[in-house]
């Protein structure tokens, strides 16, 4: 499993270059992309030495890799960018290899996850470490529920997002108010940009410059422990829900905090479900 650059072609290891030149075949997410990458490093592989293995055919193509390994061939796998198996194809291939008791060796390298974590300064506030969440659901209601679930996470959370959904993600994260977010755009590439700001400020920051909505994104949601106070909207909802029906509490909370009503509604459901679960536990 060979990690390849996420942008800057210089971010390739000597070991990766050696292995890619040595192997009999390379399984890859996109054969055209990989062929161009190999040529950039002066590595020549015939078309028959490249095996297409992507998210739509990974289970079937894994058998092709297994067959070649059984024949004594040496096979490498690369995704289009970064480390395979992390929000990229490769995990199913590894599982299939292990099921056949075939050896799988990692060749570490570039990763947007560790690259952004290294420059966001989360360690002191999160001794428990971090959690990799990757891409949140594309559907708005599911994404909002996922964000509310992250609102109580005490560890740093790493998210990934595509350019066509970054504004929607920013809008959902805005409900977390003063929670700190570090955003990395086009990491290691020519127009790399890294910004640390509050979740509430993120939508306006993106809107201030159309270029900020271009490219691939990685985000670190800093741990809740870094925020000394419970967000105002959460506290308001808790107080109102203790005395009013859910819809009424949400309407009043929206008027008081000026937060979007749909986000407050999702947050209120989460708070109510937590309170109900605690009550049921107490009854037992």
């Amino acid at each position: 499993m060979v990690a390849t650059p996420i942008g800057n072609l210089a971010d390739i290891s000597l070991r990766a270059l050696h292995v890619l030149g040595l192997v009999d075949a390379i399984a890859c997410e996109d054969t055209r992309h990989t062929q161009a990458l190999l040529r950039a490093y002066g590595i020549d592989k015939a078309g028959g030495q490249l095996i297409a293995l992507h998210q739509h055919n990974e289970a079937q193509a894994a058998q092709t890799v297994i067959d070649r390994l059984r024949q004594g061939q040496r096979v490498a796998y690369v995704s289009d960018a970064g480390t395979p198996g992390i929000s990229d194809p490769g995990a199913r291939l590894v599982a299939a290899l292990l099921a056949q008791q075939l050896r799988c060796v990692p060749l570490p390298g570039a990763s947007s996850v560790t690259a952004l974590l290294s420059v966001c300064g989360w360690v002191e506030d999160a001794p428990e470490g971090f959690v990799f969440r990757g891409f949140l659901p594309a559907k708005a209601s599911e994404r909002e529920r996922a964000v509310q679930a992250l609102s109580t996470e005490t560890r740093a959370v790493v998210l990934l997002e595509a350019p066509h959904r970054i504004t929607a993600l920013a809008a959902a994260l805005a409900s977390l108010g003063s929670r700190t977010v570090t955003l990395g755009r086009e990491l290691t590439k020519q127009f790399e940009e890294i910004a640390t700001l509050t979740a509430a400020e993120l939508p306006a920051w993106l809107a201030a410059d159309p270029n900020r909505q271009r490219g691939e994104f990685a985000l670190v949601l800093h741990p809740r422990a870094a925020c000394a106070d419970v967000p105002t909207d959460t506290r308001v909802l808790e107080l109102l829900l203790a005395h009013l029906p859910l819809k009424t509490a949400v309407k009043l909370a929206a008027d008081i905090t000026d937060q979007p009503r749909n986000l407050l509604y999702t947050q209120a459901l989460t708070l109510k479900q937590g309170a109900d679960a605690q009550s049921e536990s107490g009854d037992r």
Side-chain angles (χ1 to χ4, degrees), residues 20 49 76 86 105 167 170 174 197 227-228:
L20 291 174
Q49 291 179 285
I86 304 177
V105 179
T167 55
L197 62 171
C227 306

Side-chain angles (χ1 to χ4, degrees), residues 32-70:
R32 293 166 299 179
H33 180 92
T34 299
Q35 189 69 276
L37 183 70
L38 294 173
R39 286 172 181 157
Y41 298 123
I43 299 173
D44 185 28
K45 294 290 182 185
Q49 291 179 285
L50 301 183
I51 305 166
L53 191 153
H54 45 76
Q55 63 177 345
H56 303 296
N57 77 338
E58 189 167 355
Q60 302 93 321
Q63 187 58 50
T64 301
V65 174
I66 291 170
D67 291 341
R68 290 198 179 224
L69 292 172
R70 294 289 190 201

Side-chain angles (χ1 to χ4, degrees), residues 125-126 148 150-157 179-180 221-231 234-235 238 271:
D125 294 325
Q148 290 308 316
L150 294 176
S151 66
T152 58
E153 176 59 66
T154 59
R155 295 169 293 179
V157 181
R179 190 82 169 263
T180 303
L221 180 62
H222 288 229
R224 184 173 177 175
C227 306
D229 302 315
V230 175
T234 301
R235 183 58 181 157
E238 289 174 341
L271 290 170

Side-chain angles (χ1 to χ4, degrees), residues 2-283:
V2 182
T4 55
I6 59 177
N8 194 313
L9 289 178
D11 293 333
I12 187 78
S13 71
L14 294 175
R15 185 183 178 198
L17 292 175
H18 173 72
V19 167
L20 291 174
L22 182 68
V23 294
D24 301 296
I26 300 175
C28 40
E29 185 176 359
D30 185 323
T31 57
R32 293 166 299 179
H33 180 92
T34 299
Q35 189 69 276
L37 183 70
L38 294 173
R39 286 172 181 157
Y41 298 123
I43 299 173
D44 185 28
K45 294 290 182 185
Q49 291 179 285
L50 301 183
I51 305 166
L53 191 153
H54 45 76
Q55 63 177 345
H56 303 296
N57 77 338
E58 189 167 355
Q60 302 93 321
Q63 187 58 50
T64 301
V65 174
I66 291 170
D67 291 341
R68 290 198 179 224
L69 292 172
R70 294 289 190 201
Q71 295 167 13
Q73 294 187 25
R74 294 166 292 192
V75 182
Y77 180 73
V78 296
S79 58
D80 284 350
T83 304
I86 304 177
S87 287
D88 271 345
R92 289 188 177 88
L93 171 62
V94 172
L97 295 175
L98 296 178
Q100 295 294 317
Q101 298 184 330
L102 292 168
R103 188 181 180 205
C104 190
V105 179
L107 270 69
S111 167
S112 60
V113 175
T114 52
L116 188 59
L117 282 170
S118 71
V119 293
C120 73
W122 60 273
V123 177
E124 292 183 1
D125 294 325
E128 302 92 348
F130 71 94
V131 58
F132 175 68
R133 181 62 177 79
F135 291 91
L136 294 187
K139 190 174 180 180
S141 58
E142 294 177 1
R143 181 172 56 243
E144 289 164 5
R145 283 195 292 271
V147 168
Q148 290 308 316
L150 294 176
S151 66
T152 58
E153 176 59 66
T154 59
R155 295 169 293 179
V157 181
V158 181
L159 304 174
L160 302 178
E161 194 51 274
H164 64 281
R165 290 205 303 261
I166 188 61
T167 55
L169 176 62
L173 291 175
S175 66
L176 301 182
S178 60
R179 190 82 169 263
T180 303
V181 176
T182 296
L183 176 147
R185 183 178 74 85
E186 292 289 84
L187 291 174
T188 80
K189 301 176 185 176
Q190 181 179 359
F191 299 107
E192 175 183 86
E193 190 168 13
I194 299 169
T196 297
L197 62 171
T198 67
E201 295 169 330
L202 189 55
W205 183 85
L206 286 171
D209 183 350
N211 288 322
R212 291 176 177 173
Q213 300 171 35
R214 298 176 179 174
E216 301 298 323
F217 295 85
L219 301 93
V220 174
L221 180 62
H222 288 229
R224 184 173 177 175
C227 306
D229 302 315
V230 175
T232 300
D233 55 336
T234 301
R235 183 58 181 157
V236 169
L237 273 175
E238 289 174 341
L239 291 171
L240 293 174
L241 286 170
H243 304 283
L244 297 170
L246 187 142
K247 288 186 177 180
T248 304
V250 168
K251 182 181 183 305
L252 288 174
D255 292 339
I256 294 169
T257 66
D258 201 30
Q259 292 288 334
R261 190 176 299 186
N262 61 334
L263 295 180
L264 290 172
Y265 186 81
T266 301
Q267 191 172 359
L269 285 176
T270 301
L271 290 170
K272 191 173 186 303
Q273 289 167 0
D276 290 346
Q278 188 174 6
S279 176
E280 289 177 7
S281 176
D283 291 341

